[in-house]
């Protein structure tokens, strides 16, 4: 065969981007892989939906078997989304000995291991670079270029919507609700923003990243998740005064052969490279025992950045197809890492509480922390209103999370304490 | 053979780092490539030099043929440095059908094409990730993950010493000379810092990066180079006031099938991601037609970051050795891109000049610029001393460099102008 035959499953934003980029960059792609890569069939569901006029209508099919079980298709690209149906389609494609590329984060965050094993059994590869931060080639980098490193930490801004919201809150001093309304109006947030603002989207991505970085299995269900909906203007103001920025991070750690996987807002030092990543941009910070600290920055989503990731994978899959070295990307998990419960994780905390404005209050609070083994790094008690209520802002040293939770539960019961208003983890101290 | 046999040529900082990391991460490396990678021989020149006690002395040899023409060696890692001798050794290794990995920037910046062709003729691969910014896996990323992109621009902070100096000048308001002295004392600059401060080291790196990014041949000799020795405290102060940071960048552009390759100080907007890259850290910014803007950040040098790059390459070379797919990394240059002379390059300029403090001076200067087709974006004339001399600070719009040079030559001849004191390119306007 003088060309490689691709079946595209799905023709939404990403599918259209993939098709267009394959045309626009055909010359360099053909030269680099040695053969032309040609889209032969495109599976769509909705017969009536208007399609980009650049897409030739003779490629369109409504029958999945036309691609998945078609002997004249070598490689399948799944960009339709959803979990169950895409799972079924990818299984069929692998069983029919196709190389498979997917951009499906929801699916990979749940079923990567099963699908990779099925690919392996069939002597084929499953590629999924586009499932995490399309414009950042992190999975290929972890699997290849940084493969000789033991990765201790992978941590990133991996959701554009929440980074946009936090950036606006920080730069314009607006409330979460105000900025969210603007973001929806501008199309930076969906009208139902739950998956983004509650951290679910980031949780899927950190599950995938942790799986690759630590060579183990972490699924979406293993990730501790907290979103940004409770972040207030005051928290952002205090963060600034203390030398921090508030960001929503996905964090994976690999310490003593136990893994951590969590998504939550953090105070991060202003001089950390992640602190300067603003608006809808994403960035992923990786710490390896040889490479040291490194960071990868780019667009997390969008038609063309995601197409870039799909096409990078497609070129790898094609090269293996042409050289008959398919199946070589498989990594068997030899040793599964236990995943720590959030209560066992070590972090520092920022907390803010309303207390009675009378002498001796702080001593009582400090005693509770001390009794729980929590040591205090910094305290401020300067902002008072005239209602007899004072505010205490406090940052702890790093300690097991359980101890902080127990302390705060006890502190909330003190009669001098009206309310603990904020609890946010401090991820990276000053550099 | 149950293991893969490596010959290490050179045992300086990088060679020692490679040996140690191969031991420390042996478990994950063996698991990932499927066989143990074992260093069998290490070539050193100086018999009397003290070596790290972790290096087994029975591996040491003083005879290059013990590695280069040894049938019991599969892969050669060259980390000895120098150009001529390393060239000879690598040619011998490739001719004897070894896979070759090198960290040798000086060599690759001159002879990459010839060596890659020799590798190809012998059905072997030449890998050189470690030749540019060890802690940033940029070459693998360009060759693989971003391979489907047309790269329009690659631009980076790719010399740690000069970035350290400029960072200190910016943050502490010190002069170039003061900071250089400190940097030498602290070991951040060599006692002869020429290769760094004159931009030669960065020029070698941008030659290599441009070669890969634009799929053409760019050698060290093709790169326009200006160093940082003329940057003054005042330039840094004006940059700050105008919203810029002064950085030394390596810049490659690919526009209308002509390439640019240059190293020089720039004013770069404070909100550009490169502006936040400080101290000895490196970062490389890449703009592709699918991926958009992306940036890769990490350590540029050092024992372990460079070892990380060498070992990443070693694992690729090993996989191809085991799968018998050697030689697949070759990229033939189909179309050589013409390299623009610096006079043809389009950029904006910042310039500063001492003029007589009399009316009408600026009109004369503006007339000269206008006659040469240079349009002015911004002028300041606020800093005067009491000697009858005023200072004009001026930023142009983007224009062909030749026009600015001709303008400045004419302006220096004006009787109202005492001296043009600074000329620095403005690389990225406000975002």
């Amino acid at each position: 065969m003088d060309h490689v035959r691709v079946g595209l499953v799905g023709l939404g934003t990403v599918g259209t981007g993939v098709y267009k980029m394959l045309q626009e960059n055909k010359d360099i792609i053909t030269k680099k892989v040695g053969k032309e890569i040609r889209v032969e069939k495109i599976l769509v569901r909705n017969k009536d939906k208007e399609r980009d006029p650049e897409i030739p209508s003779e490629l369109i099919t409504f029958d999945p078997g036309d691609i998945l079980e078609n002997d004249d298709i070598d490689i399948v690209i799944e960009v339709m989304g959803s979990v169950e149906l895409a799972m079924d389609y990818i299984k069929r494609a692998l069983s029919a000995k196709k190389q498979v590329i997917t951009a499906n984060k929801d699916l990979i965050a749940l079923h990567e291991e099963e699908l990779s094993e099925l690919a392996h059994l069939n002597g084929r590869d499953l590629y999924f670079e586009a499932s995490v931060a399309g414009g950042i080639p992190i999975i290929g980098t972890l699997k290849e270029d940084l493969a000789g490193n033991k990765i201790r930490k992978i941590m990133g801004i991996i959701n554009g919507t929440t980074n946009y919201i936090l950036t606006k809150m920080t730069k314009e001093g607006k409330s979460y609700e105000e900025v969210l309304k603007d973001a929806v109006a501008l199309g930076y947030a969906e009208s139902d923003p739950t998956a983004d603002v509650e951290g679910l989207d980031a949780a899927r991505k950190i599950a995938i990243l942790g799986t690759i970085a630590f060579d183990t299995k972490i699924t979406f269900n293993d990730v501790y998740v907290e979103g940004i909906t409770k972040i207030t203007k005051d928290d952002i103001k205090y963060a600034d005064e203390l030398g921090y920025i508030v960001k929503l991070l996905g964090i994976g750690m690999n310490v003593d052969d136990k893994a951590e996987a969590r998504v939550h807002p953090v105070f991060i030092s202003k001089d950390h490279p992640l602190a300067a990543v603003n608006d809808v941009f994403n960035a992923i910070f990786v710490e390896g025992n040889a490479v040291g600290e490194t960071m990868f920055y780019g667009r997390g989503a969008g038609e063309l950045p995601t197409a870039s990731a799909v096409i990078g994978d497609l070129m790898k899959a094609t090269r293996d197809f042409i050289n008959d070295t398919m199946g070589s990307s498989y990594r068997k998990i030899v040793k599964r890492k236990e995943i720590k419960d959030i209560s066992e994780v070590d972090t520092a905390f920022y907390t803010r509480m309303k207390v009675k404005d009378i002498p001796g209050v702080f001593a009582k609070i400090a005693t509770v922390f001390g009794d729980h083994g929590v040591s205090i790094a910094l305290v401020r008690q300067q902002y008072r209103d005239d209602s007899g209520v004072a505010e205490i802002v406090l940052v702890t040293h790093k300690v097991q999370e359980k101890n902080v939770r127990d302390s705060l539960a006890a502190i909330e019961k003190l009669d001098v304490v009206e309310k603990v208003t904020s609890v946010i983890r401090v991820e990276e101290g000053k550099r």
Side-chain angles (χ1 to χ4, degrees), chain A residues 57 88 192-193 257 299 331 394:
Chain A
S57 57
D88 176 53
D192 175 4
D257 251 14
R299 286 190 185 276
R331 55 171 201 103
L394 180 150

Side-chain angles (χ1 to χ4, degrees), chain A residues 107-128:
Chain A
L107 175 63
I108 293 297
L110 289 171
H111 302 299
E112 184 270 330
E113 188 181 22
E114 181 184 349
L115 291 172
S116 289
E117 275 176 5
L118 183 64
H120 176 63
L121 284 175
N122 285 285
R124 294 296 177 273
D125 301 294
L126 174 73
Y127 286 101
F128 48 88

Side-chain angles (χ1 to χ4, degrees), chain A residues 144-307:
Chain A
E144 297 284 331
D145 307 284
L146 299 182
N149 282 264
K150 289 187 176 157
I151 306 294
R152 198 185 80 84
K153 185 168 196 173
I154 183 161
M155 154 169 105
I157 293 169
I158 46 182
N159 179 273
T161 303
T162 48
N163 203 43
Y164 174 85
I165 292 172
L166 291 172
T167 301
K168 286 279 163 195
M169 288 177 71
T170 302
K171 292 198 170 167
E172 298 175 9
K174 288 185 183 164
S175 73
Y176 169 76
E177 290 75 16
E178 281 176 279
V179 176
L180 177 64
K181 224 172 79 182
D182 293 353
V184 172
L186 289 165
Y188 290 128
E190 316 238 355
S191 54
D192 175 4
T194 311
D196 292 317
V197 300
E198 295 294 358
L200 309 178
D201 175 78
R204 294 187 176 100
K205 293 171 184 162
I206 199 67
I208 299 171
L209 292 174
T211 293
I212 304 301
F214 308 143
D215 201 11
T216 186
K217 179 180 179 175
I218 301 174
T219 73
F220 172 56
N221 304 314
D222 297 319
V223 182
Y224 172 82
V225 191
E226 244 175 67
I228 64 163
T229 56
K230 289 181 210 149
I231 303 291
T232 66
K233 285 200 271 196
D234 284 345
D235 294 324
I236 285 180
K237 188 189 70 183
Y238 284 119
D240 180 56
E241 288 176 17
L242 298 170
Y244 297 100
I245 299 268
V246 180
K247 293 288 185 191
L248 181 74
L249 296 187
I251 300 171
M253 297 272 289
N254 177 23
V255 179
D256 302 331
D257 251 14
K258 283 192 183 180
E260 292 174 21
R262 46 197 166 97
V263 170
H264 52 70
V266 301
F267 275 28
I268 191 165
S269 174
K270 282 180 188 174
D271 53 10
H272 192 281
L274 286 171
V277 176
N278 287 323
D279 302 318
V280 298
F281 276 93
N282 282 205
I284 299 167
F285 181 87
V286 179
E287 205 184 307
N289 71 337
V291 75
E293 297 182 340
T294 174
M295 190 178 84
F296 307 90
Y297 167 98
R299 286 190 185 276
E303 179 182 19
L304 297 184
T306 310

